[in-house]
Amino acid sequence: MKRNAKSTVAAGFLALMLIAPAHAASIFPDVDQNAVYAEAVEYLNGIEVMQGDEKGNFNPDKIVSRAEMAAIVCRMMGEADSLSPSAVFSDVPITHWANKYIAKTEELGIVGGYGDGTFGPSDQVTYEQALAMVVRAMDMDELAIAAGGYPTGYLSTADEQGFTDGIEAQSGEFLNRAVIAQILYNVLYF
């Protein structure tokens, strides 16, 4: 049986689509498809861990707050459903948009606040804070404590586990959404 030209072209196009890179164009207009973090952003968006804003932008250069990081970690762990607000920290009122995420991460032992009853939800998350949250979320707290505790044990554990592969940040640095996306991609995808 002979194939017609249309079916041959259609089959060839389908084959190209199947082998073509999945990230030919970014779904976010502010994420260059050639950016080192582009694949991470698309993956995390696809699994609903990190998404864009109401304008359809990802905002890769936006610094992440501690409240945002708590929400991201909850979604990463699959703990974003059926959350309840709680008065865990004095500076996170029940009405705060991230109260339920912060309360859940505190309940799970991922965050502990500053030790004075506050959490600092609007504070920018540092490299060591973000990695400590991720290491705890991945149930590697004991490894980090054995390696020296906070912050050095968490940093070395994250490094040993490959969480920081391709990351050029250091202790004390505030992290933007692109860096957080790459860290989480390293954790979840590899």
Side-chain angles (χ1 to χ4, degrees):
M1 186 155 122
K2 274 178 117 176
R3 294 178 114 175
N4 67 31
K6 280 188 178 178
S7 66
T8 303
V9 169
F13 181 72
L14 180 60
L16 281 174
M17 286 181 59
L18 293 174
I19 61 171
H23 307 290
S26 177
I27 59 171
F28 295 106
D30 62 342
V31 175
D32 185 311
Q33 68 185 13
N34 297 316
V36 294
Y37 56 85
E39 189 172 331
V41 167
E42 298 216 14
Y43 175 75
L44 293 167
N45 181 67
I47 63 171
E48 299 181 357
V49 170
M50 291 182 78
Q51 298 179 318
D53 64 17
E54 65 282 348
K55 295 179 183 176
N57 293 312
F58 183 74
N59 304 302
D61 296 325
K62 182 182 177 281
I63 300 296
V64 175
S65 71
R66 288 170 50 87
E68 290 166 332
M69 190 66 195
I72 290 166
V73 168
C74 277
R75 289 191 297 269
M76 177 187 87
M77 296 177 65
E79 294 283 349
D81 298 327
S82 306
L83 300 177
S84 302
S86 178
V88 177
F89 297 105
S90 63
D91 61 342
V92 184
I94 296 286
T95 56
H96 190 282
W97 74 268
N99 177 289
K100 59 189 179 182
Y101 299 108
I102 295 166
K104 187 63 172 182
T105 54
E106 191 276 337
E107 174 190 322
L108 295 171
I110 294 167
V111 300
Y114 288 131
D116 63 356
T118 64
F119 179 74
S122 298
D123 294 352
Q124 297 173 326
V125 74
T126 63
Y127 182 64
E128 60 273 21
Q129 291 168 350
L131 287 175
M133 288 183 203
V134 171
V135 166
R136 289 179 184 129
M138 297 307 294
D139 202 23
M140 296 179 181
D141 200 35
E142 287 182 24
L143 286 173
I145 292 169
Y150 184 81
T152 56
Y154 289 89
L155 296 174
S156 65
T157 299
D159 190 50
E160 289 168 8
Q161 297 298 318
F163 299 173
T164 58
D165 289 356
I167 304 298
E168 294 185 20
Q170 56 189 351
S171 194
E173 188 174 331
F174 298 124
L175 299 186
N176 64 32
R177 289 174 52 83
V179 173
I180 296 292
Q182 190 61 53
I183 290 169
L184 297 183
Y185 185 66
N186 291 345
V187 171
L188 298 172
Y189 190 74
F190 291 106

